[in-house]
Amino acid sequence: MAFDPFEKVALIGLGLIGSSLSHIMRRENLAKAISGHARSAETRDRAMQLGLADTMHEDPADAVRDADLVVLCVPVGACGPVAKAISAALKPGAIVTDVGSVKAAVISAVSSHIPDNVHFVPGHPIAGTEYSGPDSGFASLFENRWCILTPLSGADDGATARLTAFWQACGSDVDIMDADHHDRVLSITSHLPQLIAFNIVTTAADLEEVTQQEVIKYSAGGFRDFTRLAASDPTMWRDVYLNNKQAVLELLGRFSEDMSALQRAIRWGDGDMLFDTFTRARGIRQRIIEAGQDTDEPDFGRSGQHGEAIATKDGQD
């Protein structure tokens, strides 16, 4: 079924996710008009040069006027202040959504600023790369990826269905999930791996007996992939950990216990335990490939221009 385009979509933030949404909306005719907001004049000018929006605005309230869909493409810590800034300008009947990888904190920060006649349907497209800025977007970012929606209790079914259809038109599969459950799931599939990546890269860089030049020169595949994750936007990830601290800390404790068990196995030469652990992990990796969430090609299929398999997102520009 063809998607009935929105008359106007407002993109608040034109980084990776916002610019990619613009590209796919242009390609698939999902919006008749696109307005945008970015904090810096440089980004606003570049967005217009790239044709990412029909109009760009310094004030986010100006961007959302008469918009049928408003997408908050900003770090999760900025969602509350942005929602407050645009509240009075929102069109009755409009849908407001976001793209943050934390949902409970965003709902708490945003929902009180959304008028009763506007529909707030939080969302999270699980797609991205380590790149950022308006030049980083591309239309195929969301293809064959999941987008999770976490509607509030009593949310309008029509608004949720409309947003579901929008993400499907962008190429995504859509799941509906409770916000707290979403945060627990993403803490293990995204937030903890990212934290480990940041930590292992800085640990390697700080080793006194190994120079940073040697770390860079002799990076093998595993460390190279860690550095790709660690290249992600610091502001966005700072906000993720501050806003999903309970779930991340709980899983970090479990991870530390499991790592200690591996440490003991190595110390005492318990090869059986190591082999069983590695075999189990390898099986999970194979299931991810079979589920179509990655590829068994060399370099995990990330040799393309954008590294599409990395599930990280940049913040607002």
Side-chain angles (χ1 to χ4, degrees), residues 16 50 71 76 93 142 149 152 184 211 228 250-251 263:
L16 171 65
L50 294 170
V71 189
V76 294
F142 309 108
L149 301 182
L152 284 65
R184 287 185 58 83
T211 68
R228 186 178 287 111
E250 180 181 339
L251 281 167
Q263 183 180 9

Side-chain angles (χ1 to χ4, degrees), residues 172-193:
S172 295
D173 295 314
V174 178
D175 246 345
I176 306 296
M177 192 177 292
D178 172 77
D180 289 331
H181 185 68
H182 165 279
D183 290 353
R184 287 185 58 83
V185 171
L186 268 294
S187 67
I188 187 60
T189 62
S190 175
H191 305 165
L192 185 58

Side-chain angles (χ1 to χ4, degrees), residues 125-170:
I126 305 178
T129 76
E130 70 271 31
Y131 301 102
S132 61
D135 288 276
S136 63
F138 54 105
S140 61
L141 177 65
F142 309 108
E143 290 179 5
N144 300 315
R145 301 295 176 190
W146 284 100
C147 180
I148 299 175
L149 301 182
T150 60
L152 284 65
S153 176
D156 181 78
D157 290 340
T160 301
R162 179 78 163 133
L163 190 59
T164 296
F166 171 78
W167 280 111
Q168 290 171 337
C170 290

Side-chain angles (χ1 to χ4, degrees), residues 8-15 17-23 25 33-38 52-53 55-57 60 63-64 67 69-74 97 99 166 316:
K8 178 180 177 180
V9 174
L11 299 174
I12 308 302
L14 269 299
I17 298 299
S19 60
S20 294
L21 279 172
S22 173
H23 286 302
M25 284 192 290
I34 300 174
S35 62
H37 158 76
L52 298 178
T55 59
M56 285 295 298
H57 304 271
V64 306
L69 174 65
V70 177
V71 189
L72 306 182
C73 306
V74 297
T97 189
V99 298
F166 171 78
Q316 179 188 20

Side-chain angles (χ1 to χ4, degrees), residues 201-235:
V201 171
T202 55
T203 296
D206 291 341
L207 289 174
E208 294 181 0
E209 66 272 22
V210 179
T211 68
Q212 287 193 25
Q213 183 57 39
E214 287 174 316
V215 169
I216 294 169
K217 182 177 180 180
Y218 301 117
S219 292
F223 188 78
R224 184 181 64 244
D225 281 342
F226 275 125
T227 62
R228 186 178 287 111
L229 280 172
S232 301
D233 182 72
T235 300

Side-chain angles (χ1 to χ4, degrees), residues 245-261:
K245 64 172 64 179
Q246 183 174 348
V248 171
L249 288 173
E250 180 181 339
L251 281 167
L252 189 59
R254 171 63 182 271
F255 174 81
S256 298
E257 293 173 0
D258 292 342
M259 186 61 74
S260 294

